[in-house]
Amino acid sequence: MEDKKVIFSGVQPTGCITLGNYLGALKNWVELQNDYNCLFSVVDLHSITVRQDPVQLRKRCVDFLIQYLACGIDGESNIVYFQSHVPQHAELSWILNCYTYLGELSRMTQFKDKSAKHENNINAGLFTYPVLMASDILLYQTDLVPVGHDQLQHLELTRDIAIRFNHIYGDTFKVPEPYVVKSGAKRIMSLQNPTSKMSKSDPNENGYISILDTPDAILRKIKRAVTDSGSTIKFEEGRDGINNLISIYSAVTDKSVSEVEAEFDSKGYGDFKLAVAEAVIEHLRPVRERYEDLKKNKDYIEKIYSEGAQRAAYIAQKTLSKVHRRIGYVDRKYIKK
Ligand code: ATP
Ligand code: LTN
């Protein structure tokens, strides 16, 4: 690999990739991919913290990987793979569990949210999930992690774990930095409940736009988006629904919020919603077209993820061996076949 800084990021194969995931994370991956050595993983180990149907999960994992490529990720110059194909993630995760405090994990808001949502299955994996995420990142000596704002707390914990380990054993891990969207669409909100984030596991499909939704579905969902009883297109405190649509429009057209406000100065919600829908449809059209093409090419997809896993495992093992030596484990002498 060329001597560039390293990016690692991933999305859990749950639900379907939403406009929120795309604008908060994937769009940045695409923009950064040429300037960094990038690893983009479908983080399937994370996804079983919530119960999954095996047949669906297997299909969805492949589908997510295809969607990464359809969004514009180059699967050959970047490392694109399934997390479960690189066992070093789980190995490092066990080790780092022993360098993470219960108190730290108890403070994670995602754990609190998810345990409230899945109160019949508050498993230990849901609790230690951030340690696995830290392992994903630290295995590759990652410099930068492009994620949505909701992941900043996990990134902060990753940094704390790395600093703690380095402090005990000497320099072992690079301490990573987060990379989040700077302006506008910081968090894309649910179209039906604009005070909570657009989530890909929302049971109400009108709350989110999938990046593979048809133009008709996008138009219908945006027309139905919950807004207030006002009439002006202005980004103002407390107007969550309209603010969300402004953010979405601004992100997909690359216009600033004030440019959007000026453009719709004398227009009403109806016109604005139509414009937002059209802009989203046009933005996602090439993604859907590429997805349909790539889906037909099973051999190519298999090649991407098998080579991806091999390249990832090679890098990951270097870090894992270093960690083993630091901790005091006996060197492995068996010959790999
Ligand atoms: P789930 O609903 O299953 O928890 P999710 O929609 O939150 O899923 P994740 O797999 O947790 O999706 O997140 C993938 C990436 O998308 C992360 O970088 C996350 O920060 C980002 N992201 C998720 N939702 C949003 C959102 N509404 N706005 C911006 N970024 C988001
Ligand atoms: N926790 C993330 C997904 C994730 C991730 C990562 C993101 C798992 N491992 C490593 C960046 C880097 C989420 O979006 N829920």
Side-chain angles (χ1 to χ4, degrees):
M1 273 173 117
E2 277 177 79
D3 201 15
K4 293 178 185 168
K5 289 192 168 185
V6 177
I7 277 185
F8 182 96
S9 198
V11 176
Q12 304 185 70
T14 51
C16 56
I17 299 186
T18 67
L19 188 64
N21 303 133
Y22 175 74
L23 295 177
L26 277 139
K27 188 163 175 273
N28 284 334
W29 302 1
V30 175
E31 283 161 13
L32 295 166
Q33 64 180 331
N34 295 327
D35 299 326
Y36 291 81
N37 286 329
C38 301
L39 297 108
F40 299 118
S41 183
V42 175
V43 289
D44 49 2
L45 298 180
H46 279 89
S47 69
I48 61 161
T49 50
V50 171
R51 202 71 75 222
Q52 304 291 336
D53 172 81
V55 174
Q56 293 295 327
L57 180 62
R58 188 170 297 114
K59 259 171 66 185
R60 198 185 306 116
C61 285
V62 175
D63 228 51
F64 267 49
L65 191 129
I66 298 178
Q67 288 175 66
Y68 284 10
L69 306 181
C71 285
I73 298 296
D74 183 328
E76 286 167 80
S77 58
N78 301 296
I79 298 180
V80 181
Y81 69 103
F82 298 117
Q83 185 188 29
S84 62
H85 289 188
V86 179
Q88 287 84 351
H89 288 255
E91 282 191 69
L92 182 62
S93 185
W94 167 255
I95 292 174
L96 295 185
N97 265 319
C98 304
Y99 298 84
T100 308
Y101 298 114
L102 287 188
E104 290 176 308
L105 293 174
S106 319
R107 285 195 288 277
M108 296 294 122
T109 55
Q110 184 173 302
F111 171 69
K112 292 183 205 164
D113 292 348
K114 292 221 167 161
S115 32
K117 264 195 214 156
H118 304 277
E119 52 182 13
N120 295 326
N121 183 19
I122 307 179
N123 58 72
L126 194 62
F127 189 63
T128 58
Y129 171 115
V131 183
L132 179 59
M133 175 163 168
S135 308
D136 300 341
I137 297 167
L138 300 178
L139 264 181
Y140 300 100
Q141 306 294 345
T142 302
D143 294 278
L144 205 62
V145 187
V147 278
H149 275 247
D150 61 306
Q151 294 301 314
L152 287 179
Q153 199 185 23
H154 290 162
L155 243 295
E156 204 44 55
L157 178 66
T158 302
R159 290 169 54 84
D160 289 344
I161 297 172
I163 292 167
R164 182 171 307 143
F165 195 98
N166 288 347
H167 184 71
I168 303 173
Y169 295 107
D171 237 7
T172 309
F173 297 121
K174 180 78 73 57
V175 181
E177 299 285 340
Y179 181 96
V180 287
V181 179
K182 287 182 191 68
S183 58
K186 280 199 166 62
R187 269 173 93 209
I188 301 299
M189 309 310 273
S190 157
L191 298 176
Q192 288 299 308
N193 178 11
T195 51
S196 58
K197 75 162 191 164
M198 182 180 285
S199 160
K200 61 180 153 59
S201 39
D202 188 340
N204 179 358
E205 64 166 36
N206 288 323
Y208 61 82
I209 291 174
S210 152
I211 59 170
L212 299 177
D213 270 347
T214 60
D216 281 353
I218 297 174
L219 181 63
R220 179 169 39 80
K221 289 178 184 182
I222 291 182
K223 273 188 176 167
R224 286 194 190 166
V226 171
T227 43
D228 52 43
S229 56
S231 56
T232 54
I233 317 299
K234 287 253 175 296
F235 197 101
E236 284 163 343
E237 183 78 31
R239 301 184 65 201
D240 304 302
I242 209 71
N243 291 351
N244 192 33
L245 292 179
I246 294 176
S247 297
I248 292 174
Y249 187 73
S250 145
V252 296
T253 58
D254 269 333
K255 291 177 185 167
S256 69
V257 169
S258 47
E259 280 170 327
V260 179
E261 289 174 339
E263 187 179 342
F264 293 95
D265 190 26
S266 53
K267 303 243 168 71
Y269 284 1
D271 287 339
F272 180 55
K273 282 183 166 179
L274 269 183
V276 177
E278 247 165 55
V280 171
I281 289 167
E282 284 321 309
H283 196 86
L284 294 180
R285 190 184 299 283
V287 174
R288 212 156 62 90
E289 287 171 357
R290 278 196 296 264
Y291 170 81
E292 294 299 340
D293 272 353
L294 284 160
K295 226 171 56 166
K296 294 177 201 139
N297 208 339
K298 214 169 150 242
D299 291 346
Y300 176 70
I301 300 301
E302 245 178 61
K303 174 175 169 292
I304 297 292
Y305 70 70
S306 45
E307 285 177 7
Q310 278 179 38
R311 290 162 67 201
Y314 178 79
I315 307 170
Q317 190 54 45
K318 285 194 188 174
T319 301
L320 190 63
S321 300
K322 188 166 161 191
V323 168
H324 282 180
R325 279 195 303 277
R326 296 278 200 217
I327 292 178
Y329 292 154
V330 175
D331 279 352
R332 295 180 190 184
K333 294 294 184 198
Y334 60 75
I335 315 275
K336 277 218 181 95
K337 295 224 170 113

